Amino acid sequence: MNAISRDMNHTFVPHKDDTRTLRDAFGRFATGVTVVTCDSEDGPICITANSFSSLSLDPPLVMWAGDRNSRRFRYFHTARHFSVHVLSAEQAELCFGCSKDAHALRDIEHDRCENGTPLLPGSLARFECEQHAYHDAGDHVIVVGKVLKVSMADGDALTFFAGKLGQFAQS
């Protein structure tokens, strides 16, 4: 057995009867945490997403992936605009609130941008976007947004690793 194989203490073939183990393996990749917001006929909607990534500088594009079976994803699939908020270490409570309730913004202070998309205070970065493309991705949909406006602030980042929130501090 080579050194690389000895370092791995659990090897498996993913299958639909055990998605938990695959989810745990995906969780070994530390990510930032975002809250994506949009407006809807039912009021402001929010969803947490750690699947966010920059995609292109020219044109300015970002992406995130939503579970197509989520009750709240339909709002994002039909919304023309959305905003992605990169959460600071101080926003763990916001993360939990938005992960549990699509309508959490009813009880959370927020502003609105020109197109009506909810804007959350205290984020490290905010990307106000227009829908650009959707791509089928199994049980998820990759949402690509064209960035219309960006806001940034200093601070430490909220992170997600192995199913737990933490923080990444600037040195």
Side-chain angles (χ1 to χ4, degrees):
M1 186 182 300
N2 64 36
I4 293 173
S5 295
R6 282 193 304 266
D7 288 343
M8 304 306 289
N9 58 15
H10 187 154
T11 301
F12 64 96
V13 175
H15 57 88
K16 66 180 178 177
D17 296 328
D18 180 16
T19 58
R20 178 75 256 167
T21 305
L22 182 57
R23 181 183 291 258
D24 291 345
F26 286 156
R28 297 298 195 263
F29 180 67
T31 67
V33 182
T34 68
V35 167
V36 185
T37 61
C38 71
D39 196 21
S40 78
E41 67 279 358
D42 296 331
I45 303 294
C46 59
I47 191 169
T48 57
N50 68 334
S51 58
F52 170 77
S53 182
S54 58
L55 193 57
S56 171
L57 295 173
D58 186 19
L61 300 175
V62 297
M63 59 150 283
W64 63 282
D67 183 341
R68 71 172 62 254
N69 298 311
S70 165
R71 289 184 307 243
R72 66 181 86 184
F73 185 71
R74 68 181 174 93
Y75 294 109
F76 292 93
H77 195 74
T78 59
R80 185 165 174 236
H81 295 95
F82 63 88
S83 290
V84 179
H85 304 81
V86 177
L87 300 188
S88 72
E90 291 79 31
Q91 293 180 299
E93 188 175 316
L94 173 66
C95 172
F96 286 125
C98 290
S99 69
K100 293 176 185 175
D101 183 3
H103 304 283
L105 298 184
R106 287 183 297 220
D107 302 320
I108 296 172
E109 179 185 338
H110 64 278
D111 292 322
R112 301 269 183 159
C113 66
E114 297 83 28
N115 60 44
T117 303
L119 302 176
L120 305 174
S123 301
L124 294 181
R126 180 177 59 229
F127 303 90
E128 297 174 35
C129 302
E130 179 177 65
Q131 296 289 6
H132 181 75
Y134 292 100
H135 300 283
D136 182 49
D139 58 5
H140 279 60
V141 174
I142 297 169
V143 179
V144 179
K146 181 177 181 184
V147 179
L148 304 175
K149 189 175 187 181
V150 179
S151 300
M152 292 190 312
D154 291 329
D156 296 335
L158 187 63
T159 60
F160 189 70
F161 176 77
K164 295 185 173 100
L165 292 176
Q167 78 178 59
F168 183 85
Q170 297 180 27
S171 51

